[in-house]
Amino acid sequence: MNQSTLALAVAGTLALATAAQAETTLYGSARVGVAHTDQELNPQGMDVPNGSFWGMRDEGGSRLGVRGSEDLGGGLSAIYQYELGVNINGSVSGNPLNQRLSWVGLKGGFGSFTVGRQWTPYNNAVALDGVWSSDDTTTTYYQLGAPWRVGNMLIYTSPDWSGFSVAGGMVLDGQGNDDPDPSKRTKNGVDMYDLTASYKNGPLKLGLGYRKFEGRVVGENGQDFYGEGDSLWGAAASYEFAGAFNLIGSYQQADLESRSGAQHDAEPRAYSVTGEYEFGRNKVRAGVGRMDLDTLASSFGRDDENQDIWKVGFEHRLSKRTRTWVEYGDYDFSSFSNNANNFRQGFEYNNVSIGMRHDF
């Protein structure tokens, strides 16, 4: 009897020790909304029907993932994350599961090194206005900071020095070098790199980021707006007043090399202001943003080169993990593009979304 008790005690101790050394967490988020969309496109625009329609859709990216760490001793830990996007509305068109994140790394007193498909340092520092539940999650709809998640990326993140931290990342993607189109070839070395600095002190958050493209980098949904020689920088700040009102501002500017059909380099800019007010379990939001395409649009014969957006929303928390929302966004794009060589004119779009989100 004593031997059995001792064996159980030893087994329990070993199990606790193992749990202390290795930790894995299953998590997820279910986000679905019913949306009413009203859009008008120029006849030369995308092959999307004009008019008004209702639809149910995944809002903000439903996901399922695992993340964790293992204590390797000496202050060193192995860290990892694997996350899949899920079509929460049950649609079977396309891929019902898609890869969002997949990375592994080491963490210690030096900071952390991570490798794989990750949120970019630039996004982490500058996209402080990503607070919305529906449609595009930031206030600047065609955010210049795309791509937001990138594969084949190595990232270093420093320790937290009294609220201040720096990060750097580079993309090493050796694919596409045999593409007959020179603009679509990547480099044998670094294709893109990010350098960022962030500061957090109580209600204040600051972010500054710089990005340089040495080759073509394809982000999620196939975006390839930028090419070799392009660069951008951005700055963002947020401040929470009295624990209730949060004010967020962002500014981004890109430097794009001359494109086919364009006579000059372009310096498009995007800027936005967003406000949030929290009372009880409720939160109201409002935001306004603009993207100025600069000479990139005028080189394609566009007289009005601005893309304007304003959004309002209401959120109610049913619990710490469950919330509902109502949001409205109005978009007026005089010019828009799927890539840097294909600008089109005339895109008016507004969207009302009523949705629910549960995190676990």
mmCIF file of all heavy atoms in Angstrom, residues 115-160:
data_model
loop_
_atom_site.group_PDB
_atom_site.id
_atom_site.type_symbol
_atom_site.label_atom_id
_atom_site.label_comp_id
_atom_site.label_asym_id
_atom_site.label_seq_id
_atom_site.Cartn_x
_atom_site.Cartn_y
_atom_site.Cartn_z
ATOM 1 N N VAL A 115 11.165 31.865 -36.692
ATOM 2 C CA VAL A 115 11.282 31.594 -38.125
ATOM 3 C C VAL A 115 9.988 30.957 -38.616
ATOM 4 O O VAL A 115 9.460 30.037 -37.983
ATOM 5 C CB VAL A 115 12.464 30.642 -38.424
ATOM 6 C CG1 VAL A 115 12.600 30.416 -39.932
ATOM 7 C CG2 VAL A 115 13.754 31.186 -37.850
ATOM 8 N N GLY A 116 9.465 31.433 -39.750
ATOM 9 C CA GLY A 116 8.276 30.848 -40.350
ATOM 10 C C GLY A 116 7.332 31.911 -40.875
ATOM 11 O O GLY A 116 7.747 33.027 -41.217
ATOM 12 N N ARG A 117 6.049 31.575 -40.929
ATOM 13 C CA ARG A 117 5.013 32.516 -41.380
ATOM 14 C C ARG A 117 4.503 33.271 -40.159
ATOM 15 O O ARG A 117 3.935 32.680 -39.228
ATOM 16 C CB ARG A 117 3.882 31.753 -42.065
ATOM 17 C CG ARG A 117 2.746 32.656 -42.564
ATOM 18 C CD ARG A 117 1.742 31.857 -43.367
ATOM 19 N NE ARG A 117 0.598 32.665 -43.735
ATOM 20 C CZ ARG A 117 0.554 33.503 -44.762
ATOM 21 N NH1 ARG A 117 1.626 33.641 -45.519
ATOM 22 N NH2 ARG A 117 -0.526 34.196 -45.035
ATOM 23 N N GLN A 118 4.675 34.608 -40.161
ATOM 24 C CA GLN A 118 4.427 35.385 -38.957
ATOM 25 C C GLN A 118 3.814 36.740 -39.292
ATOM 26 O O GLN A 118 3.866 37.207 -40.431
ATOM 27 C CB GLN A 118 5.744 35.638 -38.214
ATOM 28 C CG GLN A 118 6.568 34.393 -37.956
ATOM 29 C CD GLN A 118 7.923 34.726 -37.397
ATOM 30 O OE1 GLN A 118 8.046 35.202 -36.268
ATOM 31 N NE2 GLN A 118 8.974 34.485 -38.167
ATOM 32 N N TRP A 119 3.231 37.371 -38.255
ATOM 33 C CA TRP A 119 2.909 38.781 -38.356
ATOM 34 C C TRP A 119 4.225 39.544 -38.487
ATOM 35 O O TRP A 119 5.185 39.274 -37.766
ATOM 36 C CB TRP A 119 2.167 39.263 -37.116
ATOM 37 C CG TRP A 119 0.773 38.735 -36.980
ATOM 38 C CD1 TRP A 119 0.344 37.751 -36.143
ATOM 39 C CD2 TRP A 119 -0.387 39.179 -37.695
ATOM 40 N NE1 TRP A 119 -0.998 37.541 -36.290
ATOM 41 C CE2 TRP A 119 -1.477 38.409 -37.236
ATOM 42 C CE3 TRP A 119 -0.608 40.144 -38.669
ATOM 43 C CZ2 TRP A 119 -2.771 38.575 -37.729
ATOM 44 C CZ3 TRP A 119 -1.890 40.319 -39.167
ATOM 45 C CH2 TRP A 119 -2.951 39.541 -38.689
ATOM 46 N N THR A 120 4.272 40.500 -39.401
ATOM 47 C CA THR A 120 5.522 41.214 -39.638
ATOM 48 C C THR A 120 5.791 42.223 -38.525
ATOM 49 O O THR A 120 4.853 42.755 -37.914
ATOM 50 C CB THR A 120 5.472 41.957 -40.977
ATOM 51 O OG1 THR A 120 4.461 42.975 -40.913
ATOM 52 C CG2 THR A 120 5.168 41.001 -42.120
ATOM 53 N N PRO A 121 7.055 42.525 -38.250
ATOM 54 C CA PRO A 121 7.360 43.573 -37.267
ATOM 55 C C PRO A 121 6.716 44.909 -37.623
ATOM 56 O O PRO A 121 6.268 45.647 -36.747
ATOM 57 C CB PRO A 121 8.895 43.648 -37.304
ATOM 58 C CG PRO A 121 9.331 42.283 -37.722
ATOM 59 C CD PRO A 121 8.285 41.831 -38.709
ATOM 60 N N TYR A 122 6.680 45.242 -38.920
ATOM 61 C CA TYR A 122 6.084 46.509 -39.345
ATOM 62 C C TYR A 122 4.617 46.571 -38.931
ATOM 63 O O TYR A 122 4.145 47.579 -38.390
ATOM 64 C CB TYR A 122 6.215 46.670 -40.858
ATOM 65 C CG TYR A 122 5.724 48.002 -41.373
ATOM 66 C CD1 TYR A 122 6.598 49.064 -41.558
ATOM 67 C CD2 TYR A 122 4.374 48.200 -41.678
ATOM 68 C CE1 TYR A 122 6.146 50.292 -42.027
ATOM 69 C CE2 TYR A 122 3.911 49.420 -42.137
ATOM 70 C CZ TYR A 122 4.806 50.466 -42.312
ATOM 71 O OH TYR A 122 4.347 51.674 -42.766
ATOM 72 N N ASN A 123 3.874 45.505 -39.175
ATOM 73 C CA ASN A 123 2.467 45.470 -38.790
ATOM 74 C C ASN A 123 2.305 45.598 -37.281
ATOM 75 O O ASN A 123 1.445 46.336 -36.793
ATOM 76 C CB ASN A 123 1.832 44.173 -39.277
ATOM 77 C CG ASN A 123 0.368 44.062 -38.886
ATOM 78 O OD1 ASN A 123 -0.510 44.562 -39.568
ATOM 79 N ND2 ASN A 123 0.093 43.395 -37.770
ATOM 80 N N ASN A 124 3.122 44.892 -36.534
ATOM 81 C CA ASN A 124 3.003 44.925 -35.075
ATOM 82 C C ASN A 124 3.251 46.316 -34.513
ATOM 83 O O ASN A 124 2.670 46.701 -33.494
ATOM 84 C CB ASN A 124 3.979 43.931 -34.452
ATOM 85 C CG ASN A 124 3.626 42.489 -34.770
ATOM 86 O OD1 ASN A 124 2.477 42.177 -35.081
ATOM 87 N ND2 ASN A 124 4.608 41.611 -34.712
ATOM 88 N N ALA A 125 4.120 47.090 -35.159
ATOM 89 C CA ALA A 125 4.468 48.415 -34.644
ATOM 90 C C ALA A 125 3.498 49.497 -35.097
ATOM 91 O O ALA A 125 3.204 50.432 -34.343
ATOM 92 C CB ALA A 125 5.892 48.781 -35.075
ATOM 93 N N VAL A 126 2.996 49.390 -36.339
ATOM 94 C CA VAL A 126 2.275 50.514 -36.950
ATOM 95 C C VAL A 126 0.759 50.335 -36.972
ATOM 96 O O VAL A 126 0.023 51.324 -36.938
ATOM 97 C CB VAL A 126 2.808 50.753 -38.381
ATOM 98 C CG1 VAL A 126 2.044 51.865 -39.075
ATOM 99 C CG2 VAL A 126 4.300 51.089 -38.330
ATOM 100 N N ALA A 127 0.252 49.111 -37.027
ATOM 101 C CA ALA A 127 -1.194 48.885 -37.183
ATOM 102 C C ALA A 127 -1.918 48.938 -35.841
ATOM 103 O O ALA A 127 -2.662 48.020 -35.480
ATOM 104 C CB ALA A 127 -1.445 47.555 -37.878
ATOM 105 N N LEU A 128 -1.742 50.031 -35.108
ATOM 106 C CA LEU A 128 -2.418 50.175 -33.822
ATOM 107 C C LEU A 128 -3.905 50.431 -33.974
ATOM 108 O O LEU A 128 -4.662 50.298 -33.009
ATOM 109 C CB LEU A 128 -1.781 51.321 -33.019
ATOM 110 C CG LEU A 128 -0.296 51.180 -32.668
ATOM 111 C CD1 LEU A 128 0.157 52.362 -31.819
ATOM 112 C CD2 LEU A 128 -0.014 49.866 -31.953
ATOM 113 N N ASP A 129 -4.346 50.807 -35.187
ATOM 114 C CA ASP A 129 -5.772 51.068 -35.401
ATOM 115 C C ASP A 129 -6.533 49.827 -35.841
ATOM 116 O O ASP A 129 -7.676 49.929 -36.301
ATOM 117 C CB ASP A 129 -5.963 52.196 -36.421
ATOM 118 C CG ASP A 129 -5.384 51.860 -37.787
ATOM 119 O OD1 ASP A 129 -4.621 50.877 -37.890
ATOM 120 O OD2 ASP A 129 -5.674 52.591 -38.753
ATOM 121 N N GLY A 130 -5.942 48.638 -35.684
ATOM 122 C CA GLY A 130 -6.631 47.402 -36.035
ATOM 123 C C GLY A 130 -7.576 46.956 -34.944
ATOM 124 O O GLY A 130 -7.413 45.889 -34.340
ATOM 125 N N VAL A 131 -8.598 47.766 -34.670
ATOM 126 C CA VAL A 131 -9.503 47.532 -33.544
ATOM 127 C C VAL A 131 -10.915 47.150 -33.984
ATOM 128 O O VAL A 131 -11.772 46.873 -33.141
ATOM 129 C CB VAL A 131 -9.574 48.784 -32.645
ATOM 130 C CG1 VAL A 131 -8.220 49.082 -32.019
ATOM 131 C CG2 VAL A 131 -10.064 50.002 -33.438
ATOM 132 N N TRP A 132 -11.153 47.124 -35.300
ATOM 133 C CA TRP A 132 -12.505 46.888 -35.791
ATOM 134 C C TRP A 132 -12.812 45.398 -35.871
ATOM 135 O O TRP A 132 -11.923 44.578 -36.021
ATOM 136 C CB TRP A 132 -12.685 47.535 -37.157
ATOM 137 C CG TRP A 132 -12.436 49.009 -37.118
ATOM 138 C CD1 TRP A 132 -11.250 49.650 -37.316
ATOM 139 C CD2 TRP A 132 -13.391 50.029 -36.822
ATOM 140 N NE1 TRP A 132 -11.410 51.008 -37.180
ATOM 141 C CE2 TRP A 132 -12.722 51.270 -36.870
ATOM 142 C CE3 TRP A 132 -14.756 50.017 -36.531
ATOM 143 C CZ2 TRP A 132 -13.371 52.481 -36.646
ATOM 144 C CZ3 TRP A 132 -15.403 51.217 -36.306
ATOM 145 C CH2 TRP A 132 -14.713 52.434 -36.359
ATOM 146 N N SER A 133 -14.079 45.060 -35.807
ATOM 147 C CA SER A 133 -14.498 43.656 -35.821
ATOM 148 C C SER A 133 -14.843 43.169 -37.220
ATOM 149 O O SER A 133 -14.669 41.988 -37.523
ATOM 150 C CB SER A 133 -15.715 43.452 -34.901
ATOM 151 O OG SER A 133 -15.377 43.714 -33.559
ATOM 152 N N SER A 134 -15.356 44.048 -38.089
ATOM 153 C CA SER A 134 -15.858 43.614 -39.382
ATOM 154 C C SER A 134 -15.053 44.217 -40.522
ATOM 155 O O SER A 134 -14.282 45.162 -40.329
ATOM 156 C CB SER A 134 -17.327 44.029 -39.545
ATOM 157 O OG SER A 134 -17.438 45.443 -39.558
ATOM 158 N N ASP A 135 -15.268 43.655 -41.716
ATOM 159 C CA ASP A 135 -14.667 44.169 -42.927
ATOM 160 C C ASP A 135 -13.162 44.293 -42.741
ATOM 161 O O ASP A 135 -12.529 43.415 -42.179
ATOM 162 C CB ASP A 135 -15.318 45.504 -43.296
ATOM 163 C CG ASP A 135 -15.450 45.664 -44.798
ATOM 164 O OD1 ASP A 135 -15.356 44.659 -45.517
ATOM 165 O OD2 ASP A 135 -15.658 46.790 -45.251
ATOM 166 N N ASP A 136 -12.557 45.365 -43.215
ATOM 167 C CA ASP A 136 -11.135 45.556 -42.961
ATOM 168 C C ASP A 136 -10.964 45.962 -41.503
ATOM 169 O O ASP A 136 -11.700 46.778 -40.978
ATOM 170 C CB ASP A 136 -10.573 46.641 -43.873
ATOM 171 C CG ASP A 136 -9.077 46.773 -43.740
ATOM 172 O OD1 ASP A 136 -8.369 45.895 -44.256
ATOM 173 O OD2 ASP A 136 -8.629 47.732 -43.104
ATOM 174 N N THR A 137 -9.959 45.381 -40.819
ATOM 175 C CA THR A 137 -9.845 45.587 -39.373
ATOM 176 C C THR A 137 -9.100 46.860 -39.002
ATOM 177 O O THR A 137 -9.039 47.222 -37.830
ATOM 178 C CB THR A 137 -9.142 44.388 -38.716
ATOM 179 O OG1 THR A 137 -7.862 44.194 -39.332
ATOM 180 C CG2 THR A 137 -9.981 43.133 -38.875
ATOM 181 N N THR A 138 -8.497 47.555 -39.982
ATOM 182 C CA THR A 138 -7.857 48.833 -39.702
ATOM 183 C C THR A 138 -8.694 49.955 -40.309
ATOM 184 O O THR A 138 -9.593 49.730 -41.102
ATOM 185 C CB THR A 138 -6.431 48.890 -40.284
ATOM 186 O OG1 THR A 138 -6.504 48.687 -41.697
ATOM 187 C CG2 THR A 138 -5.548 47.828 -39.659
ATOM 188 N N THR A 139 -8.384 51.185 -39.934
ATOM 189 C CA THR A 139 -9.152 52.320 -40.437
ATOM 190 C C THR A 139 -8.735 52.690 -41.852
ATOM 191 O O THR A 139 -9.560 53.131 -42.650
ATOM 192 C CB THR A 139 -8.984 53.529 -39.499
ATOM 193 O OG1 THR A 139 -9.361 53.135 -38.167
ATOM 194 C CG2 THR A 139 -9.854 54.691 -39.927
ATOM 195 N N THR A 140 -7.458 52.532 -42.202
ATOM 196 C CA THR A 140 -7.016 52.801 -43.567
ATOM 197 C C THR A 140 -7.206 51.522 -44.378
ATOM 198 O O THR A 140 -6.448 50.568 -44.245
ATOM 199 C CB THR A 140 -5.547 53.235 -43.584
ATOM 200 O OG1 THR A 140 -4.771 52.347 -42.767
ATOM 201 C CG2 THR A 140 -5.404 54.639 -43.049
ATOM 202 N N TYR A 141 -8.218 51.494 -45.228
ATOM 203 C CA TYR A 141 -8.674 50.258 -45.865
ATOM 204 C C TYR A 141 -7.565 49.587 -46.671
ATOM 205 O O TYR A 141 -7.212 48.441 -46.431
ATOM 206 C CB TYR A 141 -9.873 50.562 -46.766
ATOM 207 C CG TYR A 141 -10.460 49.355 -47.447
ATOM 208 C CD1 TYR A 141 -11.068 48.362 -46.691
ATOM 209 C CD2 TYR A 141 -10.413 49.205 -48.815
ATOM 210 C CE1 TYR A 141 -11.623 47.252 -47.300
ATOM 211 C CE2 TYR A 141 -10.963 48.104 -49.436
ATOM 212 C CZ TYR A 141 -11.563 47.135 -48.675
ATOM 213 O OH TYR A 141 -12.105 46.036 -49.277
ATOM 214 N N TYR A 142 -7.000 50.279 -47.641
ATOM 215 C CA TYR A 142 -5.892 49.719 -48.413
ATOM 216 C C TYR A 142 -4.593 50.096 -47.708
ATOM 217 O O TYR A 142 -3.812 50.897 -48.205
ATOM 218 C CB TYR A 142 -5.922 50.244 -49.830
ATOM 219 C CG TYR A 142 -6.760 49.424 -50.775
ATOM 220 C CD1 TYR A 142 -7.656 48.469 -50.306
ATOM 221 C CD2 TYR A 142 -6.649 49.579 -52.142
ATOM 222 C CE1 TYR A 142 -8.423 47.727 -51.166
ATOM 223 C CE2 TYR A 142 -7.419 48.829 -53.025
ATOM 224 C CZ TYR A 142 -8.307 47.910 -52.521
ATOM 225 O OH TYR A 142 -9.064 47.162 -53.375
ATOM 226 N N GLN A 143 -4.393 49.529 -46.548
ATOM 227 C CA GLN A 143 -3.250 49.890 -45.722
ATOM 228 C C GLN A 143 -1.945 49.688 -46.492
ATOM 229 O O GLN A 143 -1.702 48.644 -47.068
ATOM 230 C CB GLN A 143 -3.227 49.036 -44.447
ATOM 231 C CG GLN A 143 -2.143 49.441 -43.481
ATOM 232 C CD GLN A 143 -1.991 48.413 -42.382
ATOM 233 O OE1 GLN A 143 -2.287 47.248 -42.568
ATOM 234 N NE2 GLN A 143 -1.512 48.853 -41.239
ATOM 235 N N LEU A 144 -1.098 50.718 -46.479
ATOM 236 C CA LEU A 144 0.164 50.632 -47.212
ATOM 237 C C LEU A 144 1.088 49.564 -46.648
ATOM 238 O O LEU A 144 1.993 49.107 -47.330
ATOM 239 C CB LEU A 144 0.883 51.989 -47.187
ATOM 240 C CG LEU A 144 0.277 53.098 -48.044
ATOM 241 C CD1 LEU A 144 1.055 54.390 -47.863
ATOM 242 C CD2 LEU A 144 0.245 52.701 -49.502
ATOM 243 N N GLY A 145 0.861 49.162 -45.403
ATOM 244 C CA GLY A 145 1.765 48.213 -44.761
ATOM 245 C C GLY A 145 1.617 46.770 -45.175
ATOM 246 O O GLY A 145 2.220 45.885 -44.577
ATOM 247 N N ALA A 146 0.816 46.471 -46.214
ATOM 248 C CA ALA A 146 0.718 45.095 -46.698
ATOM 249 C C ALA A 146 2.046 44.668 -47.316
ATOM 250 O O ALA A 146 2.765 45.497 -47.866
ATOM 251 C CB ALA A 146 -0.405 44.981 -47.733
ATOM 252 N N PRO A 147 2.380 43.379 -47.256
ATOM 253 C CA PRO A 147 1.625 42.290 -46.618
ATOM 254 C C PRO A 147 1.805 42.296 -45.098
ATOM 255 O O PRO A 147 2.839 42.685 -44.582
ATOM 256 C CB PRO A 147 2.244 41.044 -47.247
ATOM 257 C CG PRO A 147 3.648 41.437 -47.564
ATOM 258 C CD PRO A 147 3.586 42.883 -47.952
ATOM 259 N N TRP A 148 0.759 41.836 -44.404
ATOM 260 C CA TRP A 148 0.749 41.860 -42.947
ATOM 261 C C TRP A 148 1.346 40.592 -42.358
ATOM 262 O O TRP A 148 2.039 40.644 -41.351
ATOM 263 C CB TRP A 148 -0.688 42.033 -42.447
ATOM 264 C CG TRP A 148 -1.369 43.175 -43.105
ATOM 265 C CD1 TRP A 148 -1.177 44.502 -42.821
ATOM 266 C CD2 TRP A 148 -2.322 43.127 -44.163
ATOM 267 N NE1 TRP A 148 -1.961 45.281 -43.645
ATOM 268 C CE2 TRP A 148 -2.676 44.465 -44.480
ATOM 269 C CE3 TRP A 148 -2.918 42.093 -44.885
ATOM 270 C CZ2 TRP A 148 -3.608 44.793 -45.476
ATOM 271 C CZ3 TRP A 148 -3.831 42.416 -45.877
ATOM 272 C CH2 TRP A 148 -4.165 43.734 -46.165
ATOM 273 N N ARG A 149 1.034 39.447 -42.970
ATOM 274 C CA ARG A 149 1.631 38.169 -42.569
ATOM 275 C C ARG A 149 2.446 37.653 -43.740
ATOM 276 O O ARG A 149 1.980 37.676 -44.875
ATOM 277 C CB ARG A 149 0.554 37.139 -42.197
ATOM 278 C CG ARG A 149 -0.122 37.363 -40.874
ATOM 279 C CD ARG A 149 -1.069 36.200 -40.569
ATOM 280 N NE ARG A 149 -2.133 36.106 -41.542
ATOM 281 C CZ ARG A 149 -3.377 36.557 -41.350
ATOM 282 N NH1 ARG A 149 -3.693 37.115 -40.216
ATOM 283 N NH2 ARG A 149 -4.292 36.430 -42.286
ATOM 284 N N VAL A 150 3.644 37.154 -43.453
ATOM 285 C CA VAL A 150 4.539 36.717 -44.521
ATOM 286 C C VAL A 150 5.212 35.413 -44.113
ATOM 287 O O VAL A 150 5.579 35.228 -42.945
ATOM 288 C CB VAL A 150 5.620 37.778 -44.815
ATOM 289 C CG1 VAL A 150 6.525 37.318 -45.953
ATOM 290 C CG2 VAL A 150 4.976 39.110 -45.176
ATOM 291 N N GLY A 151 5.380 34.507 -45.078
ATOM 292 C CA GLY A 151 6.123 33.278 -44.846
ATOM 293 C C GLY A 151 7.602 33.464 -45.097
ATOM 294 O O GLY A 151 8.050 34.496 -45.599
ATOM 295 N N ASN A 152 8.376 32.452 -44.734
ATOM 296 C CA ASN A 152 9.827 32.455 -44.939
ATOM 297 C C ASN A 152 10.489 33.667 -44.288
ATOM 298 O O ASN A 152 11.397 34.275 -44.852
ATOM 299 C CB ASN A 152 10.164 32.427 -46.436
ATOM 300 C CG ASN A 152 9.563 31.240 -47.143
ATOM 301 O OD1 ASN A 152 9.795 30.098 -46.767
ATOM 302 N ND2 ASN A 152 8.756 31.507 -48.160
ATOM 303 N N MET A 153 10.019 34.027 -43.090
ATOM 304 C CA MET A 153 10.516 35.233 -42.430
ATOM 305 C C MET A 153 11.238 34.891 -41.138
ATOM 306 O O MET A 153 10.762 34.091 -40.325
ATOM 307 C CB MET A 153 9.371 36.192 -42.139
ATOM 308 C CG MET A 153 9.836 37.590 -41.726
ATOM 309 S SD MET A 153 8.504 38.809 -41.755
ATOM 310 C CE MET A 153 9.457 40.336 -41.828
ATOM 311 N N LEU A 154 12.398 35.509 -40.960
ATOM 312 C CA LEU A 154 13.192 35.414 -39.732
ATOM 313 C C LEU A 154 13.050 36.728 -38.983
ATOM 314 O O LEU A 154 13.310 37.795 -39.549
ATOM 315 C CB LEU A 154 14.654 35.139 -40.057
ATOM 316 C CG LEU A 154 15.666 35.281 -38.904
ATOM 317 C CD1 LEU A 154 15.403 34.242 -37.834
ATOM 318 C CD2 LEU A 154 17.090 35.186 -39.435
ATOM 319 N N ILE A 155 12.631 36.657 -37.718
ATOM 320 C CA ILE A 155 12.386 37.869 -36.926
ATOM 321 C C ILE A 155 13.170 37.808 -35.619
ATOM 322 O O ILE A 155 13.166 36.784 -34.917
ATOM 323 C CB ILE A 155 10.887 38.039 -36.610
ATOM 324 C CG1 ILE A 155 10.086 38.228 -37.901
ATOM 325 C CG2 ILE A 155 10.661 39.228 -35.685
ATOM 326 C CD1 ILE A 155 8.584 38.336 -37.678
ATOM 327 N N TYR A 156 13.831 38.913 -35.299
ATOM 328 C CA TYR A 156 14.430 39.089 -33.974
ATOM 329 C C TYR A 156 13.641 40.163 -33.232
ATOM 330 O O TYR A 156 13.387 41.251 -33.772
ATOM 331 C CB TYR A 156 15.890 39.523 -34.053
ATOM 332 C CG TYR A 156 16.410 40.011 -32.708
ATOM 333 C CD1 TYR A 156 16.680 39.104 -31.677
ATOM 334 C CD2 TYR A 156 16.565 41.367 -32.454
ATOM 335 C CE1 TYR A 156 17.107 39.545 -30.434
ATOM 336 C CE2 TYR A 156 16.997 41.820 -31.218
ATOM 337 C CZ TYR A 156 17.269 40.899 -30.209
ATOM 338 O OH TYR A 156 17.687 41.336 -28.976
ATOM 339 N N THR A 157 13.264 39.867 -31.990
ATOM 340 C CA THR A 157 12.569 40.819 -31.126
ATOM 341 C C THR A 157 13.372 40.978 -29.845
ATOM 342 O O THR A 157 13.703 39.984 -29.194
ATOM 343 C CB THR A 157 11.146 40.347 -30.805
ATOM 344 O OG1 THR A 157 10.436 40.094 -32.021
ATOM 345 C CG2 THR A 157 10.409 41.395 -29.995
ATOM 346 N N SER A 158 13.671 42.189 -29.484
ATOM 347 C CA SER A 158 14.498 42.451 -28.306
ATOM 348 C C SER A 158 13.699 42.242 -27.030
ATOM 349 O O SER A 158 12.468 42.176 -27.057
ATOM 350 C CB SER A 158 15.024 43.883 -28.351
ATOM 351 O OG SER A 158 13.991 44.800 -28.005
ATOM 352 N N PRO A 159 14.376 42.180 -25.894
ATOM 353 C CA PRO A 159 13.654 42.197 -24.616
ATOM 354 C C PRO A 159 12.970 43.545 -24.421
ATOM 355 O O PRO A 159 13.217 44.502 -25.156
ATOM 356 C CB PRO A 159 14.768 41.987 -23.578
ATOM 357 C CG PRO A 159 15.944 41.495 -24.332
ATOM 358 C CD PRO A 159 15.831 42.048 -25.714
ATOM 359 N N ASP A 160 12.118 43.600 -23.430
ATOM 360 C CA ASP A 160 11.444 44.845 -23.064
ATOM 361 C C ASP A 160 12.354 45.639 -22.139
ATOM 362 O O ASP A 160 12.657 45.202 -21.026
ATOM 363 C CB ASP A 160 10.115 44.532 -22.381
ATOM 364 C CG ASP A 160 9.277 45.773 -22.127
ATOM 365 O OD1 ASP A 160 9.824 46.779 -21.657
ATOM 366 O OD2 ASP A 160 8.069 45.739 -22.392
#
